[in-house]
Amino acid sequence: MFRTDISTALTDLLLTPGLDLDVAANRHFAPDYRQRTDGRWDNRQEFLAHIAHLREVVAGGSVQVHDEVVDGDRYADRHTVSVTKNDGATVRMEVYLFGEFAPDGRFRRIEETTLMLEGTEDDRDLGSAR
């Protein structure tokens, strides 16, 4: 059975030039997907608006998963996202994530907290910027 993970999902969403946003989102996120980042809830449309904005800002990067646990329909991980922005600046964020899978193996819900490791004060909200 297919089951997504955060590294594959973020790579498709942010780090695969030319991959259509809707195609990437449909691979990894259920139609009723919702996400809370640093206390702010977004529905699927709001989440996709956030990703569309990041695609305009991010030139490249990587995702490193440090810890990952799957138990039934529950998912948790700790990962670091490192990006280079179009202006050449580097941003690194450590993310603590808890999620729930839909029956088809896509994410139905993610709740995450971010910790900026590298970047400017203006980059602090990169995890929820639009």
Side-chain angles (χ1 to χ4, degrees), residues 10 39 89 97:
L10 289 177
L97 179 153

Side-chain angles (χ1 to χ4, degrees), residues 30-119:
D32 60 345
Y33 178 74
R34 60 192 196 116
Q35 178 170 319
R36 183 172 71 167
T37 302
D38 296 328
R40 176 186 170 162
W41 279 105
D42 287 329
N43 63 29
R44 190 171 199 254
Q45 281 304 107
E46 292 164 331
F47 169 71
L48 292 179
H50 161 65
I51 297 300
H53 169 74
L54 289 181
R55 284 179 160 212
E56 294 175 1
V57 174
V58 172
S62 63
V63 178
Q64 180 182 12
V65 175
H66 308 290
D67 301 293
E68 185 176 51
V69 177
V70 175
D71 184 14
D73 68 348
R74 301 302 171 156
Y75 178 89
D77 89 353
R78 180 177 64 92
H79 64 273
T80 300
V81 178
S82 302
V83 297
T84 302
K85 295 178 8 181
N86 290 327
D87 65 5
T90 301
V91 179
R92 286 183 42 232
M93 298 190 108
E94 188 168 349
V95 181
Y96 300 84
L97 179 153
F98 291 90
E100 175 186 0
F101 291 113
D104 65 6
R106 295 183 291 173
F107 287 119
R108 170 177 279 153
R109 177 184 50 84
I110 285 179
E111 297 183 48
E112 63 184 15
T113 299
T114 63
L115 172 65
M116 190 166 72
L117 303 175
E118 181 181 346

